[in-house]
Amino acid sequence: MEDANLANLEFSHTRLVQAFHRIRKVNISVMMDDVSQSEYFALLCISKDQRENPEREGIFVSELAEKLRIAPSQASRTLRNLEKRKLVGRSVDTKDRRNTYVYLTEEGQQICERTRKRIRAYVNKVYDDIGGNRIEELIQICNELADAMERELETYTKND
């Protein structure tokens, strides 16, 4: 590859990494109602599970950790913080006392809903500002980029 093309490729790579880094650093926690981003995602996940499974007492900690893609110890730490503030409650599974359900309290539901509305309004404004078609194109390109990166990494690890 020509030196100029290689330099352009490296410059593009650097700009791409910087752009993703900027996006990741956007601090939406100012919209959160006295909860951290990880706590909000836990509340949101519990809320969704309660809506989808109204017959259950709540969600198991292990299920929550899996859905959030975090370690069970991290999920437990987050839940302890939420429980101290009375945003979640726990109940023992009557069928298997080794399992504990986690559920949203009334206050937890209110905070989750208020925060969800704020974030939805924010995302809608960003979406409108950029344009729906451009966002969809960006999503497609990001997925293509991730696919290509995974393929190349797989090739790299096979050749090593």
Side-chain angles (χ1 to χ4, degrees), residues 13 16 20 69 137-155:
H13 172 262
L16 179 64
F20 281 131
R69 296 182 177 158
E137 185 179 351
L138 176 62
I139 292 167
Q140 181 180 350
I141 291 169
C142 286
N143 283 324
E144 289 173 17
L145 178 62
D147 291 343
M149 292 170 75
E150 289 168 353
R151 280 193 308 272
E152 186 57 33
L153 192 57
E154 191 175 303
T155 303

Side-chain angles (χ1 to χ4, degrees), residues 3 17 21 26 52-53 66 74 78 82 101 103 115-116 119 151-152:
D3 284 345
V17 169
H21 185 70
V26 172
E52 292 174 353
N53 302 293
E66 187 178 311
Q74 187 179 356
T78 299
L82 292 169
Y101 286 109
Y103 58 90
T115 304
R116 183 185 345 209
I119 290 174
R151 280 193 308 272
E152 186 57 33

